């Protein structure tokens, strides 16, 4: 009996669409769901969370409404360099982009495509299983995303194309990269085990800083 239940569960799981292709499901109370990041898009607040949830507020967080998202992976962080242009990142190497202040989103990158452009055999072998954990855009064109196991992707054309910057970072052990901070042209990346990276040319190159 237990084996039959297990086989039925596996069959049902096999029929579920991939989370990279399955849109986020509607949430009854988005403000009470698990949210992992928030950013201001002009006077609007945009928050991201588990299972592809993106919710927006136009009244200083008094009320929230969920917006459609084309994936159902958990989303971890977002960046709005202008009130209308924004990017969100999350699990399975997903990068989403918005041109209307977070009301609608399209996929620009996922882990499978990133593995191919990085020309990394380990990433290709593992598939889209690694998350981006933070994203930062200096303006509408120049952006940087970092994540687990040293993931690093960079764009100079607003996400029309992304390139891997993993080989440019002094991170030979593939430490997780958790957060990005900017001060003018200087970019800082914080990671595990006390790792702190600094770039003085807008993240074109990075050097390790000792704390």
């Amino acid at each position: 009996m237990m084996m039959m239940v297990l086989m039925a569960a596996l069959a049902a799981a096999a029929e579920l669409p991939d989370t990279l292709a399955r849109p986020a499901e509607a949430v009854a109370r988005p403000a009470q769901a698990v949210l992992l990041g928030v950013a201001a898009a002009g006077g609007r607040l945009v928050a991201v969370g588990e299972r592809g949830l993106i919710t927006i507020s136009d009244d200083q967080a008094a009320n929230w409404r969920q917006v459609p998202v084309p994936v159902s992976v958990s989303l971890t962080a977002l960046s709005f360099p202008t009130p209308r242009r924004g990017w969100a990142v999350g699990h399975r190497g997903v990068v989403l982009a918005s041109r209307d202040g977070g009301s609608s989103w399209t996929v620009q990158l996922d882990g499978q495509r990133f593995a191919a452009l990085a020309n990394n055999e380990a990433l290709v072998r593992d598939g889209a299983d690694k998350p981006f954990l933070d994203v930062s855009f200096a303006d509408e064109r120049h952006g940087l995303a970092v994540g687990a196991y040293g993931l690093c992707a960079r764009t100079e054309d607003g996400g029309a194309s992304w390139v891997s910057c993993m080989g440019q970072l002094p991170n030979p052990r593939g430490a997780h990269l958790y957060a990005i901070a900017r001060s003018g042209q200087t970019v800082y990346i914080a990671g595990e085990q006390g790792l702190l990276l600094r770039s003085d040319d807008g993240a074109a190159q990075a050097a390790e800083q000792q704390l």
Side-chain angles (χ1 to χ4, degrees):
M1 182 65 178
M2 184 62 69
M3 181 60 69
M4 293 179 63
V5 172
L6 178 59
M7 292 179 63
L10 291 174
E15 293 175 357
L16 289 175
D18 190 281
T19 53
L20 293 174
R22 183 173 70 244
E25 296 182 359
V27 176
R29 298 179 180 84
Q32 298 178 19
V34 177
L35 299 173
L36 302 173
V38 64
R44 167 179 286 179
L45 293 175
V46 185
V48 298
E50 286 192 338
R51 300 181 179 87
L53 174 64
I54 298 183
T55 182
I56 61 178
S57 173
D58 291 312
D59 54 10
Q60 299 181 335
N63 296 282
W64 293 86
R65 64 181 178 89
Q66 186 177 1
V67 299
V69 176
V71 296
S72 54
V73 300
S74 292
L75 302 172
T76 55
L78 65 172
S79 176
F80 275 83
T82 75
R84 295 191 63 80
R85 295 297 305 275
W87 285 262
V89 298
H91 288 204
R92 305 199 67 190
V94 160
V95 179
L96 306 176
S98 175
R99 293 177 173 270
D100 53 13
S103 294
S104 62
W105 296 85
T106 58
V107 178
Q108 283 192 337
L109 187 66
D110 61 48
Q112 294 170 336
R113 282 182 267 176
F114 178 76
L117 66 87
N119 194 26
N120 185 302
E121 291 184 6
L123 291 178
V124 172
R125 182 182 64 250
D126 294 343
D129 68 334
K130 297 174 177 59
F132 281 118
L133 300 174
D134 200 9
V135 61
S136 176
F137 272 73
D139 50 42
E140 293 189 33
R141 297 184 61 82
H142 299 87
L144 181 70
V146 299
Y149 302 97
L151 291 191
C152 181
R154 180 165 53 88
T155 181
E156 297 181 352
D157 54 15
S161 62
W162 290 85
V163 298
S164 170
C165 45
M166 294 177 67
Q168 299 172 5
L169 302 182
N171 184 21
R173 292 178 294 178
H176 299 335
L177 304 176
Y178 294 124
I180 306 168
R182 293 181 181 270
S183 178
Q185 279 292 101
T186 302
V187 178
Y188 296 93
I189 302 173
E192 67 176 334
Q193 300 178 356
L195 179 65
L196 180 63
L197 306 177
R198 188 193 75 197
S199 170
D200 293 319
D201 56 8
Q205 295 290 335
E208 184 171 358
Q209 301 297 297
Q210 298 296 325
L211 297 180

